[in-house]
Amino acid sequence: MKIVVLSDTHIRYKKHELPERVIQELQSADHIIHAGDWQIPAVYHTLQQYGDVTGVYGNVDGEEIMRLVPEKRVIEKNGWKIGIVHGHGDKKTTEKRAQEAFDEHLDIIVFGHSHIPLIRYAGKTMLFNPGSLLYKRKLPYCSFGIITLEEKPHVEHVFL
């Protein structure tokens, strides 16, 4: 199972298009995850054209997005439990807030907010931040992620 993972798209106008590489990956995706900061519902509806979308809202998302998606979610795909949260808040690091958002054991926690791509384990839980699709801040590249769920989970960043 292939899951394309996006976060922090920060798209403000319907005319803004997704990068071609993302569109290529979306065409072969079994599922799509968005970890918040969409900004406009058109992003959600565009992603739906490629398949099932599971997402959460971020700190810059308004009421329109909050009506579409919750603050956090847990899904099960191919026998793997995945928590999704944006990771914003006060005190602690984004990574720590993402971990503390869930009370149950998860195989993977997907989060965003920092715009910093990350893959690491906290105990037996993989933490995965795909980075920002369009706003790299001080990093050299924008990025998104791909999770492949088979016998073992495989995650990777795609840098644009």
Side-chain angles (χ1 to χ4, degrees):
M1 167 172 271
K2 175 183 173 179
I3 302 172
V4 172
V5 184
L6 308 172
S7 188
D8 298 284
T9 47
H10 292 282
I11 294 176
R12 296 178 186 97
Y13 309 103
K14 290 180 185 178
K15 292 188 287 183
H16 196 101
E17 295 184 20
L18 296 173
E20 184 60 34
R21 177 63 194 275
V22 175
I23 291 170
Q24 289 173 1
E25 296 296 345
L26 288 170
Q27 290 172 345
S28 62
D30 298 302
H31 196 77
I32 302 159
I33 290 175
H34 194 297
D37 282 1
W38 318 65
Q39 291 206 235
I40 61 171
V43 178
Y44 179 83
H45 299 302
T46 297
L47 293 176
Q48 281 186 311
Q49 294 173 19
Y50 297 97
D52 293 331
V53 179
T54 301
V56 296
Y57 65 79
N59 58 300
V60 301
D61 292 322
E63 288 183 25
E64 288 181 297
I65 298 293
M66 291 178 184
R67 283 193 290 271
L68 290 172
V69 295
E71 182 178 15
K72 63 181 179 177
R73 294 187 82 158
V74 174
I75 60 173
E76 189 169 326
K77 294 290 178 188
N78 222 26
W80 300 93
K81 287 182 80 172
I82 304 170
I84 309 160
V85 67
H86 187 59
H88 62 287
D90 296 326
K91 301 180 181 165
K92 301 184 182 176
T93 64
T94 302
E95 188 179 322
K96 195 66 163 166
R97 288 190 299 267
Q99 289 176 61
E100 292 178 357
F102 302 97
D103 294 330
E104 60 192 291
H105 169 73
L106 300 167
D107 298 299
I108 303 170
I109 295 176
V110 172
F111 65 100
H113 187 60
S114 68
H115 295 218
I116 300 171
L118 173 93
I119 301 169
R120 79 170 198 86
Y121 274 90
K124 293 185 178 185
T125 301
M126 180 183 294
L127 305 176
F128 185 53
N129 185 329
S132 176
L133 184 63
L134 299 170
Y135 295 93
K136 60 185 179 170
R137 293 186 178 160
K138 295 180 181 180
L139 298 174
Y141 305 105
C142 292
S143 61
F144 68 99
I146 297 173
I147 298 175
T148 306
L149 297 175
E150 294 179 357
E151 217 175 284
K152 294 179 181 177
H154 174 78
V155 299
E156 63 183 286
H157 289 106
V158 177
F159 294 97
L160 303 173

